[in-house]
Amino acid sequence: MNSMSKKVQLVDENGIRTDGRRSDELRPIKLEVGILSNADGSAYIEQGKNKILAAVYGPREVHPRHLALPDRALLRCRYHMAPFSVQERKSPAPSRREVELSKVIREALEPAIFLELTPRTSIDLFIEVLQADGGTRTAGVTVASLALADAGIPMRDLVAACAAGKADGYIVLDLNDIEDKEGTADVPVAYMPSLNAVGLLQMDGQLTPEEFEQAFNLALEGCKKIYELQKKALKEKYLAIKEAVEEAVEEK
Amino acid sequence: MTSTTISRIRQKQIARLIAGGKRLDGRGLTDYRPIQIVTGIIEKAEGSARVRLGKTEVMAGVKIDIGEPFSDRPNEGVLTTNAEFVPLASPEFEAGPPGEDSVELARVVDRGIRESKAIDLEKLCIIPGKKVFVVFVDIYVLNHDGNLIDASALAALAALANTKIFKYEIKDGEVEIKPGFEKLPLVNFPVAVTLADIGGTLIVDPGLDEEEVMNARLTISFDKDGKICAMQKGGSGTLSPQQIIEAVKIAKEKSEELRKLVVKDYAAA
C-alpha cells in the first residue's frame, strides 16, 4: 500500500471519478479466450489496469489420488498475484488474502459447473494476476469462467463478477485501485444472470442497509454488462476459427 | 466448512422441517441457540472470553505487545487476528498450518472489527512512526458444532471489551511500563450474524448438521449504528438477490440482540 493523504477527491462536483467515469460506468474491458496452448482452457482479461490470466487443466486424474470425490469432480482454484503486480513487491508465497480469495472464487464458480458429470477427476483452475488495479477477485472470476467455458467444461451459466462501492458519498460501480483503497465500502459480487443466482458476495467498509441494497443492485447491473462481453469474447474465438477455415478453403 | 457425514434420512428430515418453518432442535427459523459468554478467564492474557453457542465453543485471547506501526499508518496501533482450528475441537480438524476455513474465519472476524473501527487505533500510538501497541486477537475453536463465525466474532469482541492495556511512560525515547492498567479504547461493537439457505428458506445460526445440508451461508456484520461493516458469502451454492436483501433485514434485528450481551459487560467493567 502506498502512503497517501487521506483527503483524496474521488468524485468531483460534477459526479466524475478520478479516471473520468460516471458513477455507473465500468472501466474499459478487454477479454480474450484461448490464448495458452498448453492449458485445456484459458482466457485473459484487462479491466482498467488489471491484467489477469486464467488457465484450466482438466477434467484430469486427481493428484494426490485420495482427494478424488466418488460422486463429482474436485474443483481446485488458486488465485495468485505476481510479485511485480503491485507497487511494492509482493512475496510469491501465498498470503492469507490469496488463500481466502482462492476459496471464495472457487465457491463462486462451483455452482456453475456440472461437477457430477466427471466424478473422480479434478478441474484445476489457476488465476494469475499480472497487474492489479482494484477488483482483481471479480475480474478473476470473470476471466476464470471464460477459461472454464473454453476448456469445454459443461456449465449451467457463465459467471460474471463486478464490484460496486462507496466513494466520497457516491455509490459507484467497478472500483479502481484508488477508490478501493480510499473509498468507504467495497461490495464484490459474482452473478449468474440466466439463473439469477449470486455465488460470491463480500463487503467491507461501512454502508447502511439502504446503501448496501443500492450498491448490490448496481453491481448486479455491472455483472449483466460483463456477461454480454463474455459471450461476445467466446463467440469471437470461434468466429476467428471459422474465418481461418473459410480462407484456407478459398485458397485451395 | 465441514465434511462430517450425516445420513440421507437426517438430511431430508432437516430440510423437510425447515420447509415447514421448524428445526430439528425445536428452534424457530431466526432463533439463536442459547448463548453464554464468560470473560476474563485467562489471567495471563490482556483480554479473554469464552463463548458457548449451543454446543459450539470458542475462546478468544487478546495479547498486547509493543511493535512498529505500518509505514502507511504511522499514528495507529496494529490489529492482528488469527484463528486456530485445534484438533481437539472436531474429528475433522487436523494439526498443521491453518487451512482455508480458518484463514477465512479469522479474516471475516478481522474485517468486522477493522471496518467498524471498533478499536480506536490512534489511541494505541506510543511514538508516531516508531512504537505502537499491537493487538493480537487469537481465536481458538474448542468445540465445533456449527456457525463458528458468529461465535468467534462474539468471542473476539467480548475479549476486546475485557482487554486491559498496561500503563507506560516515555523516557529518553524508550517505553517504560508503569504499574496499573487501562481499558482498551473500544468505540464500536461489531457483531456477525450468519444465515444459511436450506431448500430456499433462510435460517439464522446454522448448527453443524444444518451446515451439512445448506446450499450457502451469508454472514453479515453490523456495527453499533446499524451499519453493515462486513459480509461474506460461503459455501458452494448460490443465493438469489431477493434472499440477500431479506437476509440483511433479519441479520440487522438479530445483531442488536447479540450486541447487548457484550455491551452490558463493557459498560460494567
Side-chain angles (χ1 to χ4, degrees):
Chain A
M1 256 187 274
N2 266 332
S3 51
M4 275 180 271
S5 76
K6 276 199 170 161
K7 287 204 178 98
V8 188
Q9 194 186 25
L10 298 173
V11 184
D12 72 12
E13 52 285 350
N14 302 316
I16 301 297
R17 297 151 72 178
T18 50
D19 50 12
R21 284 183 291 157
R22 282 177 284 114
S23 63
D24 61 347
E25 251 181 295
L26 290 168
R27 289 172 284 182
I29 294 175
K30 185 178 129 189
L31 291 167
E32 277 180 68
V33 176
I35 53 163
L36 297 173
S37 64
N38 275 346
D40 295 308
S42 61
Y44 174 70
I45 186 170
E46 283 183 14
Q47 182 166 4
K49 290 193 194 104
N50 284 315
K51 296 179 199 287
I52 306 172
L53 263 175
V56 171
Y57 286 83
R60 61 179 179 182
E61 210 171 321
V62 188
H63 289 291
R65 211 171 274 180
H66 68 89
L67 294 177
L69 301 170
D71 59 342
R72 64 200 140 103
L74 173 73
L75 177 66
R76 285 187 287 203
C77 169
R78 184 179 108 128
Y79 162 98
H80 186 249
M81 290 175 91
F84 47 76
S85 63
V86 280
Q87 202 70 33
E88 262 174 56
R89 179 176 184 270
K90 191 214 149 277
S91 154
S95 65
R96 291 163 65 86
R97 176 178 171 278
E98 287 168 307
V99 171
E100 187 203 343
L101 293 197
S102 298
K103 179 178 191 285
V104 296
I105 291 172
R106 189 190 71 227
E107 289 174 342
L109 295 165
E110 246 177 324
I113 306 172
F114 288 98
L115 291 169
E116 62 275 19
L117 293 181
T118 51
R120 298 179 302 280
T121 65
S122 73
I123 298 170
D124 296 312
L125 168 64
F126 303 102
I127 299 169
E128 285 293 336
V129 178
L130 305 178
Q131 182 164 278
D133 184 35
T136 56
R137 82 193 65 185
T138 47
V141 169
T142 300
V143 69
S145 147
L146 276 183
L148 286 164
D150 183 46
I153 289 167
M155 290 165 81
R156 295 179 173 87
D157 200 359
L158 285 170
V159 188
C162 185
K166 190 177 170 190
D168 282 358
Y170 291 84
I171 302 294
V172 294
L173 182 64
D174 187 20
L175 307 180
N176 61 27
D177 202 26
I178 189 166
E179 290 168 339
D180 190 13
K181 287 184 176 123
E182 304 291 321
T184 36
D186 180 18
V187 185
V189 176
Y191 183 56
M192 290 184 274
S194 54
L195 300 174
N196 191 32
V198 175
L200 181 154
L201 173 62
Q202 294 180 291
M203 188 314 244
D204 64 68
Q206 288 188 341
L207 289 180
T208 65
E210 296 72 30
E211 287 170 333
F212 165 75
E213 196 169 333
Q214 216 186 325
F216 176 59
N217 286 328
L218 187 60
L220 290 181
E221 290 309 310
C223 290
K224 287 177 195 163
K225 286 181 198 157
I226 290 172
Y227 185 61
E228 296 306 317
L229 298 175
Q230 284 177 306
K231 287 193 285 189
K232 191 164 154 266
L234 263 182
K235 274 183 204 153
E236 268 165 14
K237 178 192 164 183
Y238 294 100
L239 285 176
I241 294 172
K242 189 176 165 233
E243 272 172 33
V245 170
E246 281 169 354
E247 267 175 38
V249 171
E250 272 172 33
E251 275 170 27
K252 270 191 182 174
Chain B
M1 185 159 280
T2 57
S3 57
T4 319
T5 27
I6 60 168
S7 72
R8 285 274 162 89
I9 294 178
R10 199 174 166 84
Q11 286 185 17
K12 280 191 187 149
Q13 195 186 6
I14 293 169
R16 195 177 51 233
L17 278 172
I18 286 173
K22 288 183 189 149
R23 290 165 88 169
L24 208 52
D25 57 6
R27 275 189 285 162
L29 297 182
T30 59
D31 290 344
Y32 267 91
R33 291 166 284 177
I35 300 172
Q36 192 193 46
I37 304 175
V38 191
T39 55
I41 44 171
I42 303 292
E43 288 88 349
K44 298 239 165 147
E46 277 76 17
S48 59
R50 191 191 64 212
V51 168
R52 285 206 180 107
L53 176 57
K55 280 188 248 170
T56 287
E57 197 167 333
V58 176
M59 206 174 196
V62 177
K63 292 296 294 173
I64 305 279
D65 214 340
I66 293 172
E68 278 182 28
F70 288 116
S71 57
D72 57 336
R73 301 201 182 272
N75 299 316
E76 291 183 11
V78 174
L79 166 70
T80 312
T81 311
N82 188 53
E84 290 283 337
F85 286 12
V86 278
L88 60 75
S90 160
E92 302 298 321
F93 294 173
E94 285 178 90
E100 59 174 24
D101 288 332
S102 70
V103 169
E104 182 189 34
L105 175 75
R107 286 180 56 88
V108 173
V109 173
D110 184 275
R111 219 171 284 155
I113 301 169
R114 194 177 299 276
E115 299 297 336
S116 67
K117 302 186 168 60
I119 306 170
D120 188 345
L121 291 174
E122 287 188 10
K123 288 215 175 114
L124 298 185
C125 178
I126 303 170
I127 305 169
K130 292 217 171 82
K131 287 202 163 85
V132 297
F133 284 115
V134 184
V135 181
F136 293 95
V137 178
D138 280 286
I139 295 160
Y140 234 58
V141 177
L142 300 180
N143 199 56
H144 178 19
D145 193 40
N147 199 6
L148 293 178
I149 296 182
D150 295 3
S152 302
L154 211 50
L157 183 64
L160 287 171
N162 173 251
T163 298
K164 307 269 187 297
I165 297 187
F166 40 86
K167 291 189 173 169
Y168 66 92
E169 57 186 1
I170 300 166
K171 269 193 187 157
D172 310 323
E174 289 299 313
V175 183
E176 258 181 44
I177 293 164
K178 292 203 306 183
F181 293 93
E182 273 175 18
K183 266 201 225 179
L184 180 80
L186 204 59
V187 291
N188 208 332
F189 297 87
V191 288
V193 176
T194 297
L195 296 101
D197 165 39
I198 296 180
T201 306
L202 290 173
I203 56 161
V204 171
D205 179 30
L208 187 60
D209 45 9
E210 290 171 330
E211 284 184 352
E212 284 305 314
V213 183
M214 72 181 181
N215 302 319
R217 63 168 155 79
L218 181 63
T219 302
I220 310 166
S221 299
F222 281 91
D223 74 358
K224 68 173 175 24
D225 305 316
K227 280 189 180 170
I228 307 171
C229 52
M231 264 181 147
Q232 182 89 343
K233 177 253 167 188
S236 36
T238 58
L239 297 164
S240 72
Q242 294 74 17
Q243 278 183 312
I244 289 164
I245 301 302
E246 190 193 337
V248 170
K249 283 195 191 116
I250 300 171
K252 184 162 188 282
E253 249 173 58
K254 301 310 285 185
S255 70
E256 283 155 22
E257 283 175 32
L258 292 186
R259 186 171 305 103
K260 279 183 200 150
L261 302 172
V262 180
V263 173
K264 190 178 62 190
D265 233 40
Y266 184 68

